[in-house]
Amino acid sequence: MTVISEQERAILNRREERFFRRSSHTAARYLRDMEALPGLPNAMEPFLTALRHIYVDHKGIVTSRPCIGTYCAMVPQELIYAAGGMPVKLCSGHYTAFQIGDDSTPRDACPLVKAVAGFREMKTMPIYENCKLMVVPTTCDCKKKMADMLSQEANVHVMNLPLNRIDDGAISGCVIEYHRLIEILEAVTNQSVTWSRLYDSIQMVGVSQQELSRFLEFKRQDRALIYGTHVMAMMNAASYMSLEQWTAHLRTLNDELSERQEKGEYVAKANRPRIMLTGSPIIFPNIKLPLLIEQMGGVLAADETCMGERFMYDPVVPVDMSFNGLLRALANRYVRACTCPVFSENRQRINRVLHMVHEYKIQGVIYHVLRGCLVYDYEFSLLEQALEKENIPVIRVESDYNEEDVEQLRIRIEAFIELIKLKELKEKGIRSIHDE
């Protein structure tokens, strides 16, 4: 056991104090910026409180279940709930942790991994320290090395994912991986994953997906009933509260939006460009991009990110009601239906984005790339070509977990929104000439 001197302890204490002060300040400021957007629904308060509890107050998850940390939306939360655990998403957009981890990771590592390294070094965030197990899928090379880094001091399970998710062999391989994960979960929670517990957890998640489906109907309206930045906060808050709590709060939010719709109360004018955000995940407190979109006169009408709608979009639909049949249904939902660019063949992702463009009446797409996130960056050109055929403007923006690029992003986003407005005016002019 290493013994440190009083002087070294004092230095460490001062460093921890600076970490808490700087990280709390950043998170609190972004929460204030979100609250400053007009038309904040009253029902958003529980979601914002959950983010404040974790990132401003630096508190842990309030639950009696063992916390199981996950580092990807492809980890089936149904398995964790069936084992009596509480899934906690540990991916973070933490600026201060990123800056600390930047010193101990390769220069070109993605910001998410650098933030994880920073949390590992500081050992002061309860949501990380309280997890009994961390599940890391092999979605990219950085995640693989991150798993090795975390395993030196934490209980880590690496979940292997197929590169090709089309054939049945890939799904069978996922079922084997789920059995491995179940054994680990049972050892951690001391509860067995039975057929009935697994089925009940699938049903519980299904109820949440139904409520989210109701919410998405409000988002498809021609005029916005809620700002997309608030939606991103709501989806991020699902990382830090039980699914039952999150669903209950979402139901209250839906009821409030329904009342707004009946009264004709909208948060933005009808002529605001409807923007879609896709690419690398938007993770609190790195919420600068959604804020800039809506501060610059756009409406974030849809997102296709793993911390947004994709997280709970597809339901689990069992056909074979055996235990393995339920696991295959999970694999079909979390792997085969997933639009993450990590897979070798990914036309489904392009089709999904194009479908959402028409479904949400999107006028422009912003493709977000976290610096060093090669899997998302690689697919930009494919999506750009597909959107050009649909006459939909698209722009690629690259960012990091810092605020040094905010002004540059502001200029580019403002110019993109003005481009969309000009395009719409020209098309209306052409239509009016034809009408005459």
Side-chain angles (χ1 to χ4, degrees):
M1 181 176 179
T2 304
V3 179
I4 62 175
S5 65
E6 292 185 6
Q7 183 179 7
E8 290 172 326
R9 169 53 61 188
I11 293 173
L12 290 174
N13 288 339
R14 286 196 297 271
R15 191 183 186 203
E16 289 180 5
E17 290 174 2
R18 287 196 301 270
F19 174 85
F20 280 118
R21 186 169 60 252
R22 290 173 62 188
S23 60
S24 295
H25 174 77
T26 301
R29 179 160 47 81
Y30 275 106
L31 283 169
R32 288 195 300 270
D33 289 344
M34 286 193 290
E35 291 170 340
L37 287 173
L40 176 69
N42 294 326
M44 276 296 300
E45 181 55 33
F47 303 114
L48 298 179
T49 297
L51 296 175
R52 187 176 294 108
H53 181 81
I54 299 298
Y55 287 102
V56 178
D57 302 331
H58 293 104
K59 302 296 184 181
I61 304 292
V62 180
T63 179
S64 59
R65 300 163 172 161
C67 288
I68 308 297
T70 66
Y71 282 97
C72 179
M74 278 189 271
V75 179
Q77 56 183 331
E78 290 89 344
L79 292 181
I80 297 174
Y81 280 115
M86 163 77 177
V88 180
K89 296 176 184 64
L90 297 181
C91 295
S92 174
H94 206 288
Y95 287 41
T96 311
F98 158 78
Q99 293 167 350
I100 294 172
D102 193 33
D103 295 331
S104 58
T105 55
R107 182 192 63 184
D108 295 330
C110 80
L112 188 151
V113 172
K114 290 184 178 183
V116 171
F119 281 125
R120 171 181 172 271
E121 185 173 344
M122 293 304 299
K123 300 182 179 62
T124 54
M125 288 289 284
I127 58 170
Y128 287 82
E129 300 305 309
N130 293 343
C131 285
K132 305 298 183 184
L133 173 70
M134 295 181 179
V135 183
V136 183
T138 55
T139 51
C140 69
D141 290 339
C142 277
K143 285 280 185 73
K144 295 175 186 176
K145 301 306 294 183
M146 183 187 77
D148 180 61
M149 173 189 71
L150 292 171
S151 65
Q152 297 174 21
E153 299 178 6
N155 185 14
V156 175
H157 173 71
V158 177
M159 192 173 77
N160 295 305
L161 294 174
L163 291 177
N164 177 8
R165 42 65 185 287
I166 302 300
D167 57 55
D168 286 338
I171 300 302
S172 297
C174 286
V175 171
I176 294 173
E177 285 298 312
Y178 292 167
H179 276 290
R180 291 180 59 234
L181 176 58
I182 287 171
E183 290 181 7
I184 301 295
L185 289 171
E186 289 177 335
V188 170
T189 64
N190 292 319
Q191 295 192 44
S192 298
V193 178
T194 63
W195 182 92
S196 59
R197 291 176 65 89
L198 179 56
Y199 180 80
D200 289 344
S201 69
I202 291 174
Q203 294 298 106
M204 180 183 70
V205 175
V207 171
S208 296
Q209 291 169 323
Q210 290 175 1
E211 202 61 47
L212 181 62
S213 179
R214 180 188 171 202
F215 174 79
L216 295 181
E217 285 298 322
F218 293 121
K219 285 192 65 182
R220 295 186 184 100
Q221 302 300 314
D222 290 337
R223 293 187 63 180
L225 292 163
I226 182 173
Y227 274 114
T229 304
H230 296 151
V231 178
M232 296 301 297
M234 181 265 289
M235 296 302 299
N236 270 249
S239 302
Y240 313 115
M241 60 176 66
S242 72
L243 196 58
E244 300 97 325
Q245 290 176 319
W246 185 81
T247 304
H249 295 317
L250 178 56
R251 187 175 296 113
T252 303
L253 177 60
N254 280 336
D255 291 342
E256 183 173 347
L257 295 182
S258 180
E259 292 179 6
R260 284 187 173 192
Q261 188 176 35
E262 292 176 1
K263 296 177 182 178
E265 297 176 351
Y266 304 100
V267 297
K269 296 180 179 179
N271 61 352
R272 276 202 170 201
R274 294 175 64 84
I275 307 296
M276 178 178 176
L277 183 61
T278 187
S280 301
I282 301 295
I283 312 174
F284 190 83
N286 185 40
I287 207 82
K288 59 187 176 185
L289 196 53
L291 272 171
L292 286 174
I293 291 171
E294 298 187 312
Q295 289 171 344
M296 294 297 100
V299 169
L300 181 54
D303 79 88
E304 204 291 315
T305 64
C306 58
M307 287 295 287
E309 295 175 23
R310 189 201 305 168
F311 163 52
M312 289 184 63
Y313 181 78
D314 295 293
V316 176
V317 184
V319 177
D320 174 4
M321 298 304 292
S322 66
F323 189 83
N324 271 358
L326 297 182
L327 294 183
R328 288 186 68 85
L330 288 175
N332 282 323
R333 181 260 186 263
Y334 280 92
V335 177
R336 180 166 281 171
C338 181
T339 55
C340 178
V342 69
F343 301 106
S344 57
E345 193 286 319
N346 213 19
R347 285 172 295 179
Q348 183 175 324
R349 172 171 167 73
I350 305 298
N351 294 335
R352 169 67 178 148
V353 171
L354 293 178
H355 174 74
M356 291 183 67
V357 164
H358 294 288
E359 190 177 27
Y360 289 87
K361 307 174 185 67
I362 299 301
Q363 297 166 285
V365 175
I366 293 180
Y367 195 95
H368 172 232
V369 178
L370 283 174
R371 192 164 291 117
C373 188
L374 297 180
V375 291
Y376 274 104
D377 204 359
Y378 193 91
E379 291 204 342
F380 170 70
S381 61
L382 298 175
L383 182 59
E384 183 182 33
Q385 294 170 19
L387 290 170
E388 284 179 354
K389 293 179 181 178
E390 300 292 327
N391 195 29
I392 300 295
V394 58
I395 185 176
R396 172 189 177 276
V397 296
E398 183 175 327
S399 71
D400 222 328
Y401 282 179
N402 58 54
E403 296 180 292
E404 297 172 0
D405 60 355
V406 167
E407 289 308 313
Q408 180 186 11
L409 290 173
R410 188 190 307 276
I411 293 171
R412 295 195 66 204
I413 291 172
E414 185 177 19
F416 183 63
I417 290 174
E418 291 302 317
L419 174 68
I420 294 172
K421 290 180 179 179
L422 181 61
K423 175 178 176 291
E424 292 297 310
L425 286 174
K426 287 182 178 179
E427 290 181 352
K428 287 179 180 178
I430 293 172
R431 284 196 295 269
S432 65
I433 292 173
H434 287 312
D435 291 340
E436 293 176 359

